[in-house]
Amino acid sequence: PNRKMAKKRSRSDGGEVEEDATSHVFAGWQRGGDTSGPSFYWQGGETLKVPRSMHGKHRQSLVSLMGQQSVKGVALVLGGESQTRDDSDHEEIFRQESNFHYLFGVAEPDCLGAIDVKSGAATLFIPRLPAEYAMWMGPIASPEDFVKKYEVDAVRYVDEIPAFMAEFAPETIYLYEGINTDSKAKGTPATFEGIEAYKVDREVLHDAVYEARVVKSDEELEVLRFCNRVSSAAHIEVMRKVQPGMMEYQMESIFLHHCYYHGGMRHQAYTAICGCGPNSSVLHYGHAGAPNNRKLGKTQMVLNDMGNEYYCYASDITCSFPVSGKFTEQQRSIYEAVLETTVAVMNALRPGVAWFDMHELAERVLAKHLIKLGFLHGTVDEVMEVHLPAVFMPHGLGHLMGIDTHDVGGYPKGAERATRPGLRNIRLNRDLAAGMVVTVEPGCYFINHFIEEALADESRAKHMNADKIRGMVGFGGVRIEDDIIITKDGMELMTNVPRTIQEVESVMSGMDFPLPTSDYPVPRCKPFVGSKA
C-alpha cells in the first residue's frame, strides 16, 4: 500500500479539512512537486507504482538481441498517433503503440524514439505544440520535463530528426516493419524528411523487439500480477451481483467500474465477452453487431471473458458459471470436464515443454470426458485420430500475453503453422521458457456449424452420438481461462477467482472469497484488496 500524506487546509466556514498531499500526482508525475527522484507510473491509492527505469532495461535487451554493436546505427521507432473519430474533432482516448510503450513508456501521442544500437542510449522526439494547446490541454511540458519523466538520455522535437540524423551520421537506420503473426497486419515504420539518403534495414528491429517482449522482466511481471489481482476481483464482483433478468452488458459494466474505480485501469485489454446461453458458444461475442445485449435466463450458463490493462499491460480471464448460482447436473458435467482439462495442463507446465503438446494434452482430457458423458464413442486415441476434440474446442489452448492480450512472438522465424483442426488456430508454437506469460483457456462448446460439419463426415460421425450432441446446441459453452507465469521449475498462477463447483456456488451465495478451505488443487496468488467503494 502507498501511504497517504495529508496536511490541513482551511475551510470557508473556518474549520479544517485534510488535504491529500499526493493529490497533484498524475500517472506518477508530480505537478508542482519534487521531480528530482526516480520517475514512476502510479494511479494513486492502492494501485501499483511502476518504475519507468524498466524501459531502459528493455532498450538494453533490445540492442543485445539486435546484435548490431559493430555497426554505427540507430533504431528509429514510431509511437502511436492521436486520432479523431472519422471527420469530427472528437479525440479518441489515446493508448500508446505497444512496442513504443515497451521501449519508452511514454503516455503522450505523436512521439518517436531513437536508440543507439551500440550503447542503448535513447533520444525521445516530441511534437512541437502550438501555444493554444495550453488553453485546451494544460501546460506544455518542456524537453527537460520529458527527460526527467521518462528517464531518457535526451529529448528533442520531432522536426529535429533530420538534424539529429545528420549529427549522428548512422551507417544504418533500423526501422520497425514486419508482419504480426496474429493479426497479419504490417507494422508502420518511422520516417522523416531525407531518410532516402541513408541505408535502411527493415527486418532486424522487428524481429528483435518481438523476441525481447516474449520473456518478461521482473518489473513487467509485477504489473501483470497487479492486472490479474484487480481483474480477478472484478470478476468475483460480477459473480456476486448476477441475477436472472439482468442484461449481459450490465455484467460488463460492473466489471469495468470495479477495475477503474479500484485499480485505475482506464483501458480494456480487449472487448468484453459476456455471453449467456447460446451466446456463450460465440468465441468473440460482444462485438458491435452483438454488443452483450441478451437478457440472462435463470437456467442458462454465463461465459464472461474480460480483462483490463494497467500501464498498457493486459489481463485475460474467463469465468463460466450458472445464472442461478447452482449448477444443474448437465452444467456440472461440462464444467468439470473443462476444469479437469485446465488443471491437467497447469500441472504439466514447465520450461522446455512444447505448447503444441499442451494443446494435445487438453484435447485428450476433454475427449475422455466427452466419451464418458456419452457424446462420443470409441477410445481417446480413436477420437483424437479424426480430430473430434476440435469440434468442441475449435480454438487454441492459449497464447502469449503481455502488453498485448495476444502478445507478439508466438511464431518465431522458422516456426510452422499446423494444418489440422484445433492446432491450426493456435497462436503459439514454441517451447516454453521461464519468464514467459501464457493463458491457459480450454473450453467445450456446442456450435451447430462445427457439429453438422462433423456429422456429414463419416469418419467422424461414426464416433458421435448425433441426437445427444444436437440436443446441446442451445446450451452454449464453457471456457475457463487463467494467466500463467512460466517459472524456472514450473508455473505461477496469477488469476485468483472461484474455480471449483464449491467455490463458484459459495461465492454466488454470498460467501467471501477465498473460502476458508478450498478444494482447488493449484496454488494461487493473494487476492487484491483495493480502496473501499
Side-chain angles (χ1 to χ4, degrees), residues 208-525:
V209 74
Y210 270 29
E211 199 63 24
R213 286 174 56 186
V214 168
V215 173
K216 274 55 180 178
S217 65
D218 291 342
E219 293 89 347
E220 288 181 290
L221 293 177
E222 278 303 302
V223 184
L224 290 163
R225 290 184 182 104
F226 176 78
C227 292
N228 255 266
R229 289 198 296 271
V230 176
S231 291
S232 292
H235 271 283
I236 295 169
E237 186 71 6
V238 173
M239 294 173 72
R240 287 197 176 109
K241 292 184 176 179
V242 160
Q243 296 289 336
M246 287 176 60
M247 301 299 290
E248 292 167 332
Y249 61 75
Q250 290 179 290
M251 297 188 293
E252 178 182 7
S253 174
I254 294 166
F255 181 88
L256 296 179
H257 169 74
H258 189 97
C259 286
Y260 202 1
Y261 189 95
H262 295 280
M265 302 164 87
R266 190 176 200 180
H267 292 277
Q268 292 176 273
Y270 52 93
T271 302
I273 301 166
C274 300
C276 176
N279 291 345
S280 61
S281 67
V282 181
L283 300 185
H284 283 179
Y285 179 70
H287 54 82
N292 295 328
N293 60 353
R294 182 187 180 97
K295 185 177 287 189
L296 307 190
K298 184 176 182 179
T299 63
Q300 295 175 321
M301 285 288 289
V302 159
L303 186 156
N304 281 341
D305 186 340
M306 297 184 284
N308 268 32
E309 64 177 40
Y310 186 81
Y311 197 48
C312 292
Y313 283 84
S315 55
D316 188 0
I317 301 169
T318 305
C319 295
S320 299
F321 53 86
V323 174
S324 67
K326 290 286 185 181
F327 287 88
T328 65
E329 283 305 309
Q330 183 187 72
Q331 292 168 344
R332 174 188 290 264
S333 66
I334 302 302
Y335 186 87
E336 288 188 330
V338 178
L339 181 63
E340 185 178 323
T341 302
T342 196
V343 171
V345 171
M346 286 188 199
N347 286 336
L349 293 177
R350 58 184 54 84
V353 169
W355 191 245
F356 273 23
D357 291 345
M358 294 296 93
H359 181 94
E360 291 185 347
L361 170 62
E363 288 185 322
R364 295 188 74 86
V365 178
L366 184 60
K368 180 188 73 173
H369 280 273
L370 291 172
I371 292 168
K372 179 182 177 181
L373 295 171
F375 293 109
L376 299 180
H377 310 301
T379 66
V380 170
D381 287 339
E382 287 170 341
V383 300
M384 287 290 291
E385 185 177 355
V386 293
H387 312 308
L388 267 175
V391 173
F392 303 91
M393 191 178 82
H395 59 72
L397 173 65
H399 49 81
L400 294 172
M401 189 189 76
I403 299 177
D404 292 311
T405 306
H406 297 157
D407 215 14
V408 298
Y411 279 79
K413 273 191 173 180
E416 298 287 338
R417 281 198 176 270
T419 57
R420 79 159 178 84
L423 272 180
R424 66 187 174 207
N425 292 323
I426 204 165
R427 301 178 189 273
L428 173 59
N429 181 10
R430 60 193 304 163
D431 292 347
L432 299 178
M436 286 183 180
V437 173
V438 297
T439 65
V440 173
E441 49 180 305
C444 182
Y445 318 87
F446 296 88
I447 303 170
N448 189 60
H449 167 75
F450 292 120
I451 290 169
E452 294 303 322
E453 182 181 64
L455 287 170
D457 173 9
E458 176 56 30
S459 67
R460 291 185 287 174
K462 67 182 181 181
H463 296 291
M464 300 172 70
N465 185 332
D467 290 342
K468 189 175 178 71
I469 294 171
R470 282 175 171 146
M472 291 291 289
V473 168
F475 174 86
V478 168
R479 180 164 65 252
I480 295 174
E481 181 177 16
D482 294 295
D483 300 338
I484 307 293
I485 300 170
I486 305 301
T487 63
K488 64 180 181 179
D489 53 4
M491 68 98 203
E492 175 188 332
L493 172 60
M494 293 188 287
T495 307
N496 192 355
V497 295
R499 285 302 188 208
T500 68
I501 299 289
Q502 176 196 5
E503 289 177 338
V504 171
E505 291 185 344
S506 296
V507 168
M508 294 189 74
S509 71
M511 289 187 65
D512 290 336
F513 186 80
L515 305 182
T517 59
S518 171
D519 55 345
Y520 190 58
V522 182
R524 291 182 278 207
C525 66

Side-chain angles (χ1 to χ4, degrees), residues 146-198:
F146 275 87
V147 168
K148 292 176 182 178
K149 182 174 181 180
Y150 294 116
E151 299 188 352
V152 290
D153 298 281
V155 174
R156 299 175 69 165
Y157 290 107
V158 170
D159 57 26
E160 295 179 302
I161 293 178
F164 168 85
M165 290 297 179
E167 296 161 14
F168 194 99
E171 297 171 16
T172 305
I173 297 175
Y174 299 87
L175 301 180
Y176 173 83
E177 186 173 4
I179 303 297
N180 184 301
T181 57
D182 273 314
S183 67
K184 307 299 189 295
K186 193 174 185 179
T188 303
T191 190
F192 59 91
E193 186 177 347
I195 192 173
E196 63 277 359
Y198 297 91

Side-chain angles (χ1 to χ4, degrees), residues 23-75:
S23 62
H24 59 284
V25 174
F26 174 76
W29 188 245
Q30 300 178 353
R31 289 178 175 170
D34 178 16
T35 61
S36 60
S39 179
F40 51 85
Y41 175 90
W42 179 44
Q43 288 289 73
E46 303 301 315
T47 65
L48 182 70
K49 285 187 176 182
V50 186
R52 289 199 172 98
S53 58
M54 80 174 184
H55 300 288
K57 298 177 184 178
H58 294 170
R59 294 190 291 270
Q60 290 297 330
S61 177
L62 175 74
V63 298
S64 176
L65 287 166
M66 287 180 70
Q68 303 295 304
Q69 287 85 349
S70 63
V71 178
K72 185 181 183 184
V74 62

